[in-house]
Amino acid sequence: MYRRPKLYDAIYAFKDYEREATIVRELANARKQSPGNTLLDIACGTGAHILHLKKDYECTGIDLSPFLLKAAAERNPECKFIEGDMRFQELGQWFDVVICLFSAIGYVKTFDALESTLAHFYTHTAPGGVCIVEPWLFPENFRDGFMSLDTVDLPDYKVARMITNSKVGDISVMDMHFMLGCSGEIEYWETKSELGLFTEVEYREAMTRAGFEVEFDEKGLWSRGLFIGKKSL
C-alpha cells in the first residue's frame, strides 16, 4: 500500500485531516515556547496533514516511501520533503514542532528502537519546542484474532482490504489482503505489517529518557491518544 499513493488516500479517506491538524496546532501552540514556526512531520505519508498545517508553519516532511513522498510533494509543492528512516535520520536542524502521527511510531517494533528513535526526535526539536507522537495500540487494547474490512466503492476504483490481527511476543502482526479493481481489471495481493506493542509507561519512559517533559492526552485525534513532549529552553 505504501507504494500506491492513490490506494493509500482511498483507504484512509475516512480521516478528517483538517480536524486533526487543528488539534495538533492547538496543542502545540498552547505549549510551544520557541519563537519560530517550523514543523517536521515524521512519516508524513501523502502530506495530508501538512496540507492543513502549512498555512501556519514552514513544513518539512519525512517518509520512508518515495512513492508517498512524490504524492506529498505534488500536494504541497511549496514544502520540503525528504526520503528517510525516522530511526536514523539526521537533518542537522531544529524544528519548533515535531509530529509523528497515525501510529507510525509502532513500526520501530522494539523498546530499544523506540528509545533511540525518540532521542532523534528530541535532537530535531528546538529548545522550547514541542514533539507530538500518536502511539500505536497499548497491549491491553490490542485484540488478538480481530478481523477488519475496509472498502472503497468509487465508479472506476474499488478496493477491499481485509486484515487479521495476531500477537507474537510484544509485536502485533497484521496480515493484510487487498483486492483492487481498476480499469476493468482486478488485482489481488497480500502483505504484512508488524508494529511494537508498547505500554503507556514505556512511551513515557522513552520520551522522558530522551529529555522531554511528557504529558499524555487521552482524547488525542481519534482513539489512541497523543504523547506531548516539551523541550526546555
Side-chain angles (χ1 to χ4, degrees):
M1 182 173 65
Y2 300 116
R3 298 173 62 90
R4 301 170 183 248
K6 183 176 180 179
L7 173 62
Y8 180 95
D9 283 338
I11 286 288
Y12 296 126
F14 69 88
K15 285 177 67 66
D16 188 341
Y17 288 100
E18 184 174 8
R19 183 189 68 84
E20 293 185 3
T22 297
I23 293 171
V24 167
R25 183 185 305 110
E26 290 175 351
L27 289 172
N29 288 347
R31 294 159 177 79
K32 184 172 75 70
Q33 295 179 290
S34 57
N37 68 333
T38 56
L39 180 143
L40 176 64
D41 186 353
I42 299 173
C44 66
T46 58
H49 284 116
I50 286 178
L51 179 66
H52 302 289
L53 290 166
K54 64 187 180 183
K55 64 182 179 180
D56 296 300
Y57 302 103
E58 179 184 336
C59 295
T60 298
I62 294 179
D63 202 279
L64 196 58
S65 168
F67 306 97
L68 299 189
L69 281 175
K70 183 175 183 295
E74 291 172 352
R75 177 174 275 157
N76 306 285
E78 68 275 47
C79 299
K80 183 179 181 180
F81 294 94
I82 301 166
E83 183 181 344
D85 190 322
M86 64 180 169
R87 296 172 298 173
F88 314 114
Q89 193 71 31
E90 294 285 356
L91 300 180
Q93 70 178 103
W94 287 331
F95 296 85
D96 300 281
V97 180
V98 175
I99 63 174
C100 183
L101 306 179
F102 214 178
S103 301
I105 193 67
Y107 283 101
V108 303
K109 294 186 183 180
T110 69
F111 183 72
D112 286 347
L114 179 67
E115 280 195 308
S116 62
T117 300
L118 290 172
H120 277 82
F121 289 10
Y122 184 84
T123 299
H124 288 97
T125 304
V130 176
C131 176
I132 298 176
V133 178
E134 185 173 23
W136 176 229
L137 296 172
F138 298 147
E140 64 270 21
N141 297 329
F142 181 76
R143 296 167 62 184
D144 195 359
F146 179 75
M147 300 178 67
S148 64
L149 173 65
D150 300 295
T151 60
V152 176
D153 189 8
L154 300 175
D156 59 349
Y157 196 80
K158 302 182 186 297
V159 182
R161 180 182 71 166
M162 183 172 286
I163 302 176
T164 58
N165 289 343
S166 60
K167 183 179 178 182
V168 180
D170 294 326
I171 303 292
S172 61
V173 180
M174 296 181 292
D175 288 299
M176 301 183 180
H177 303 257
F178 287 88
M179 185 174 288
L180 169 64
C182 183
S183 302
E185 298 183 358
I186 296 176
E187 183 180 359
Y188 170 80
W189 71 95
E190 301 176 18
T191 188
K192 181 180 296 187
S193 287
E194 298 181 349
L195 292 86
L197 291 166
F198 307 113
T199 66
E200 180 181 341
V201 171
E202 286 175 319
Y203 280 110
R204 285 182 179 275
E205 181 179 348
M207 291 191 77
T208 300
R209 288 185 182 180
F212 291 111
E213 178 186 338
V214 186
E215 62 179 288
F216 180 60
D217 182 315
E218 291 186 4
K219 185 176 181 181
L221 302 182
W222 51 322
S223 62
R224 299 172 188 172
L226 289 170
F227 287 96
I228 306 165
K230 294 183 290 184
K231 185 172 181 177
S232 61
L233 285 168

